[in-house]
Amino acid sequence: MKKIILVFGTRPEAIKMAPLVKRFQECNNDFHTICCVTGQHREMLDQVLEIFEIKPDYDLNIMKDGQDLFDVTARVLYGMRDILTKEKPDMVFVHGDTTTSMATALAAFYCQIPVSHIEAGLRTYNIYSPWPEEINRQLTGRIATFHFTPTISSKQNLLSEGVNEYNILVTGNTVIDALFSVLNKVRTNKVLQNKISSIFLNAGYDLSRIDNNKQLVLITGHRRENFGDGFLNICQAIKTLTIKYPNVDFLYPMHLNPNVREPIGKIFEHNLSTNIFFIEPLDYLSFVYIMDKSYIILTDSGGIQEEAPSLGKPVLVMRDTTERPEALVAGTVELVGTDTAKIVDSVSCLIDNKEYYEKISKANNPYGDGMACNRIVDFLKK
Ligand code: UD1
Ligand code: UDP
């Protein structure tokens, strides 16, 4: 029996690690599974833990309002020192590119415990885009023993960095496991749909608006490199679009980071059109439901770039680079940066040109088939 510990701290890591925690827990003859959350996020993490019914064994509860990278790194490093020293696991699992993951991998290295890296090998090779994620994942990859990559191109990145091929497994992204575990339910379960409708109503958006065939543009944003002018430009673009398209709804579940909310307040303070809705972050089931119902997704999120192609939704990515080239190649994702005019043009093109919309909204699954967690667990059993 091997003792393993899975560590995560933010909303997207929790969504992507939840199915893996569950899969390891099912294999309790082979693995003693410990789940540790750092609490880098609080409310947004708790929403995910609740949906997937995960009760962590440890919670470092590190989040502070307006925390910076030093705060998160130091608090995770010290917190993980105590847990790893006490539990002495055989292996530590971290995910992707957050500061929780990088600092946990470093703590494991200091304790000489091997690390498995889930969603390994994504790269832009630009250390400031995304910032600090590019360096977080490169450092984690340097420390890790096993690398579970979502795609072949992420495996190629690792091979070109000299990682031993036998330590890399292409699995697909576990986010597709998470998505598939809830998609059928949100599409067919009437009781759940009624619950989701009241969640939206309480949040300030009446879902019956889109039952009448109204088009919906779903928006999210949070990237650190977009803080300041980037977010002001994004908000200005949204404002222009709400005026240009009064019959289209724009729904923006806002990240809790104050740096995201401030520019929204500035640009929309005195002028809120009746077709723009700013709401609190949604739980995962409600968010999948609304992605599935939306017409276009405008986002700077990594996870949403991976989920939306499976749903056949065009995604306009408000970034200059992406470490996820597969959907770009498939044509369902377009990089639009944070230039106001470019965002307005790209959204307009999708709304105005039905033929173009049909061309790029074909469903495809470059990020997996929902079996990533099985592959990871089977590999480690061997
Ligand atoms: C973090 C990750 C980023 C990931 C993103 C997903 C790092 C450096 N950044 O960025 O890679 O893409 O999560 O969303 O690891 N807050 C709350 N409640 C919450 C969550 C956040 O109030 O549940 C507020 C707090 O004021 C907090 C701030 O948001 O200090 C920033 O959170 P932080 O995790 O540092 O940065 P994110 O931008 O969320
Ligand atoms: N998401 C959610 N509720 C929301 C917005 C997003 O559950 O209100 C989910 C989304 O489906 C995806 C993940 O959160 O799985 C993406 O998180 P985020 O954009 O914060 O982080 P990133 O993926 O960019 O690291």
Side-chain angles (χ1 to χ4, degrees):
M1 167 93 76
K2 294 288 180 195
K3 190 194 259 193
I4 59 167
I5 179 163
L6 292 92
V7 186
F8 49 93
T10 65
R11 170 174 66 191
E13 292 168 271
I15 291 168
K16 291 166 167 182
M17 288 291 253
L20 190 60
V21 171
K22 296 275 178 199
R23 187 72 197 101
F24 273 124
Q25 284 172 343
E26 282 163 12
C27 301
N28 53 8
N29 286 332
D30 297 292
F31 299 103
H32 170 197
T33 304
I34 300 170
C35 175
C36 170
V37 297
T38 63
Q40 176 178 337
H41 283 175
R42 193 66 275 165
E43 302 88 326
M44 285 159 56
L45 171 72
D46 294 343
Q47 277 182 322
V48 183
L49 296 175
E50 196 185 321
I51 294 286
F52 287 95
E53 296 175 352
I54 289 177
K55 292 198 184 352
D57 301 288
Y58 291 97
D59 188 339
L60 297 179
N61 199 22
I62 64 153
M63 198 195 86
K64 291 199 297 193
D65 261 352
Q67 63 203 5
D68 66 19
L69 299 173
F70 298 90
D71 295 321
V72 179
T73 307
R75 289 156 77 92
V76 171
L77 197 57
Y78 282 125
M80 288 316 303
R81 174 184 64 184
D82 297 344
I83 293 171
L84 295 179
T85 309
K86 177 173 165 231
E87 291 288 353
K88 299 187 174 43
D90 295 296
M91 182 161 281
V92 176
F93 288 73
V94 295
H95 180 278
D97 54 21
T98 67
T99 297
T100 279
S101 307
M102 181 275 292
T104 299
L106 189 58
F109 170 66
Y110 287 162
C111 298
Q112 298 193 12
I113 301 168
V115 170
S116 271
H117 190 195
I118 313 298
E119 198 184 84
L122 277 66
R123 298 286 185 269
T124 61
Y125 292 110
N126 175 346
I127 65 168
Y128 292 113
S129 178
W131 177 75
E133 288 82 3
E134 177 65 15
I135 279 297
N136 280 347
R137 61 190 169 219
Q138 288 197 27
L139 291 177
T140 306
R142 195 71 188 79
I143 291 169
T145 300
F146 293 126
H147 310 257
F148 297 99
T149 73
T151 63
I152 291 172
S153 81
S154 35
K155 176 180 177 177
Q156 296 296 348
N157 290 336
L158 294 174
L159 290 176
S160 71
E161 291 169 21
V163 176
N164 184 334
E165 178 158 20
Y166 296 105
N167 290 351
I168 307 173
L169 183 73
V170 181
T171 59
N173 198 307
T174 59
V175 79
I176 305 299
D177 299 33
L179 178 68
F180 286 179
S181 76
V182 302
L183 189 55
N184 209 24
K185 270 187 267 177
V186 302
R187 279 182 174 165
T188 57
N189 185 324
K190 292 276 173 262
V191 179
L192 178 61
Q193 287 172 351
N194 287 339
K195 197 175 153 200
I196 290 174
S197 290
S198 16
I199 289 172
F200 274 96
L201 213 48
N202 286 336
Y205 188 69
D206 184 349
L207 285 179
S208 65
R209 292 174 69 92
I210 40 175
D211 288 344
N212 303 326
N213 277 337
K214 191 181 269 291
Q215 290 168 340
L216 177 75
V217 179
L218 179 63
I219 306 161
T220 78
H222 69 82
R223 295 246 82 87
R224 270 186 159 75
E225 66 272 20
N226 289 345
F227 290 169
D229 287 348
F231 269 105
L232 286 170
N233 292 347
I234 289 169
C235 290
Q236 195 53 58
I238 299 167
K239 190 170 180 180
T240 307
L241 286 162
T242 58
I243 297 163
K244 187 171 176 194
Y245 296 104
N247 293 324
V248 175
D249 273 0
F250 294 78
L251 180 71
Y252 189 155
M254 294 174 292
H255 194 287
L256 288 172
N257 195 324
N259 292 300
V260 173
R261 294 185 166 219
E262 207 181 271
I264 296 175
K266 258 192 199 153
I267 302 284
F268 288 92
E269 195 180 3
H270 300 298
N271 199 343
L272 206 57
S273 314
T274 52
N275 57 338
I276 171 84
F277 302 85
F278 292 105
I279 62 173
E280 293 304 314
L282 290 163
D283 68 85
Y284 190 55
L285 291 170
S286 303
F287 194 75
V288 169
Y289 180 88
I290 202 70
M291 273 199 290
D292 203 30
K293 293 281 180 196
S294 64
Y295 193 65
I296 299 166
I297 303 177
L298 183 60
T299 187
D300 63 13
S301 163
I304 296 171
Q305 284 178 64
E306 293 154 346
E307 291 161 335
S310 287
L311 304 173
K313 301 296 169 184
V315 187
L316 301 176
V317 179
M318 298 180 289
R319 293 176 47 184
D320 299 322
T321 57
T322 181
E323 57 291 271
R324 295 167 169 91
E326 296 82 1
L328 275 185
V329 172
T332 52
V333 159
E334 187 196 341
L335 287 184
V336 297
T338 55
D339 178 73
T340 304
K342 171 75 182 150
I343 296 172
V344 172
D345 279 358
S346 302
V347 174
S348 303
C349 203
L350 282 169
I351 296 177
D352 295 338
N353 187 339
K354 193 90 190 141
E355 222 171 274
Y356 175 61
Y357 182 90
E358 296 299 337
K359 201 173 122 213
I360 77 162
S361 62
K362 300 265 176 298
N364 64 63
N365 284 344
Y367 298 110
D369 57 2
M371 302 299 283
C373 295
N374 279 346
R375 293 190 183 99
I376 294 167
V377 173
D378 289 349
F379 176 91
L380 287 160
K381 273 187 188 172
K382 281 182 206 143

